[in-house]
Amino acid sequence: MLDKLTYAGREENFHDVASDERFRFVRGAIEDPDAVASTLDGGIDAIVNFAAETHVDRSIAEPDAFVRTHALGTYVLLEAARERELRYVQVSTDEVYGSIDVGTFTEDSALRPSSPYSATKTGADLLVQSYFHTYGLRATIVRGSNNYGPYQYPEKLIPLMVLNALHGDALPVYGDGMQVRNWIHCTDFAHAIGHVLAHGDPGEVYNAGGPDEQANIDVVRRIVTLTGASEDQIEHVSDRPGHDRRYSLSSDKVCALGWTPRVRFEDGLAETVAWYRDNAWWWEPIRSGEYRAYYERQYGRSLS
Ligand SMILES: NC(=O)c1ccc[n+]([C@@H]2O[C@H](COP(=O)([O-])OP(=O)(O)OC[C@H]3O[C@@H](n4cnc5c(N)ncnc54)[C@H](O)[C@@H]3O)[C@@H](O)[C@H]2O)c1
């Protein structure tokens, strides 16, 4: 595994596989051809590109890292795959399609990204497809919906709300909170990616959406109930610029390959809340570090 360990990456995230003899970790950037070459030494037959800058708010404030990682980084990995004739899977997002009021996006829907995050992810997807068409690279793309689960950096909606709820902090909801997301548990998304790696057809795109859609405000209310917090902690704040209203993915194509999402949102959310409650060792260093400064910049108030 090659990972730059940005603010969002930590060795604690892979402590449970670190001693596995099949696992090797190289600290480095995907946009660095030397780091990529040293990672690919020996016995590798596929590249799966998870590496990304993923937080939309940060892409609005500071887009440069998004361009570097998604455009240049994806290019360097594609070149490495081409040179070595490796299979390639690009991990992508439903955000490349933009927002949809009714219905669901299929793999043939138009690409209409709205943030620097989704626009640079879209550019990466197009580059991957060009390597299939131009060079015959055995490349596939998997577009996931909103992930949740353990080890998620607390800038994202669910861990942010869980940790604020547990600490008695305000729960800052963007706008009216009626933005709808198609939640997928991270284990289901990981299985979808593995499934496409094993069974996907080169050149194809596969959507992998979760089984449930939920408005942000309803997610926050569930978290209030699960943590024993108070609804008085909910505070509506100015909406994110260009905030997409609804995402929804049709996953028929990957389901036809034999994948199916297993974790219902109600169960996965309860497990996730329990994980954060029981694993303060993981999030305490984050909540007392760079994240505090980020939170103050983003929400104009301090964490307790
Ligand atoms: N989180 C979601 O809801 C979601 C939904 C759909 C798709 N995805 C996609 O799944 C992938 C993983 O997302 P995540 O939520 O785990 O992201 P994350 O932000 O939690 O973690 C990103 C990881 O990539 C590493 N990284 C960042 N830039 C790098 C670079 N230039 N070189 C090497 N490593 C780098 C970071 O250190 C970190 O370990 C991304 O491609 C993302 O676009 C995420």
Side-chain angles (χ1 to χ4, degrees):
M1 182 179 89
L2 172 66
D3 195 302
K4 194 173 177 177
L5 299 187
T6 66
Y7 75 93
R10 299 161 70 215
E11 295 197 33
E12 288 90 327
N13 293 354
F14 48 86
H15 69 105
D16 53 342
V17 293
S19 59
D20 190 311
E21 60 183 22
R22 295 167 299 173
F23 180 81
R24 187 166 68 91
F25 171 58
V26 176
R27 184 171 187 178
I30 58 167
E31 63 271 23
D32 174 355
D34 294 336
V36 170
S38 67
T39 310
L40 294 175
D41 276 351
I44 305 281
D45 62 5
I47 294 176
V48 181
N49 181 16
F50 286 88
E53 294 285 339
T54 61
H55 194 46
V56 174
D57 290 335
R58 291 188 195 248
S59 84
I60 294 168
E62 296 174 339
D64 54 337
F66 291 74
V67 176
R68 196 175 325 112
T69 293
H70 303 166
L72 188 57
T74 302
Y75 159 72
V76 170
L77 291 180
L78 287 168
E79 276 298 306
R82 179 159 85 98
E83 201 175 298
R84 295 165 180 78
E85 300 185 354
L86 305 176
R87 284 179 298 143
Y88 184 96
V89 178
Q90 178 76 2
V91 179
S92 185
T93 165
D94 57 0
E95 299 195 29
V96 300
Y97 299 115
S99 192
I100 189 166
D101 289 339
V102 285
T104 57
F105 288 121
T106 71
E107 291 80 359
D108 295 325
S109 299
L111 303 178
R112 293 200 178 90
S114 26
S115 70
Y117 164 64
S118 52
T120 50
K121 290 292 288 186
T122 306
D125 282 11
L126 296 179
L127 195 61
V128 172
Q129 288 180 316
S130 81
Y131 270 62
F132 167 73
H133 289 293
T134 309
Y135 305 113
L137 187 78
R138 291 172 296 157
T140 48
I141 297 172
V142 189
R143 296 188 177 135
S145 57
N146 266 58
N147 275 236
Y148 70 101
Y151 300 99
Q152 190 170 34
Y153 195 80
E155 65 193 354
K156 303 278 171 38
L157 179 79
I158 288 177
L160 184 150
M161 295 298 170
V162 171
L163 293 183
N164 280 20
L166 292 175
H167 286 84
D169 284 329
L171 305 175
V173 173
Y174 283 142
D176 61 5
M178 291 306 292
Q179 306 86 359
V180 173
R181 299 296 181 255
N182 182 189
W183 294 98
I184 185 168
H185 194 267
C186 56
T187 54
D188 277 332
F189 190 38
H191 284 130
I193 295 163
H195 208 78
V196 168
L197 175 65
H199 306 289
D201 285 327
E204 295 295 321
V205 176
Y206 297 91
N207 290 340
D212 298 297
E213 293 187 14
Q214 192 91 178
N216 286 349
I217 187 69
D218 294 330
V219 174
V220 175
R221 289 202 182 106
R222 274 175 191 247
I223 290 171
V224 165
T225 306
L226 288 164
T227 54
S230 160
E231 289 220 2
D232 294 344
Q233 286 169 248
I234 297 175
E235 199 173 89
H236 291 268
V237 300
S238 300
D239 207 351
R240 166 191 285 168
H243 206 174
D244 287 335
R245 208 59 186 159
R246 177 169 172 263
Y247 301 129
S248 179
L249 283 183
S250 158
S251 308
D252 292 352
K253 192 170 163 184
V254 69
C255 288
L257 284 184
W259 172 83
T260 184
R262 300 198 180 283
V263 184
R264 298 307 302 255
F265 186 65
E266 197 177 335
D267 303 328
L269 185 63
E271 279 170 29
T272 302
V273 168
W275 187 88
Y276 280 93
R277 197 195 291 277
D278 296 343
N279 287 279
W281 69 272
W282 184 84
W283 51 257
E284 262 171 357
I286 298 176
R287 240 180 106 91
S288 57
E290 185 270 352
Y291 176 68
R292 284 191 91 75
Y294 158 79
Y295 190 91
E296 282 175 30
R297 282 196 309 279
Q298 189 62 31
Y299 295 101
R301 61 190 301 162
S302 309
L303 291 167
S304 66

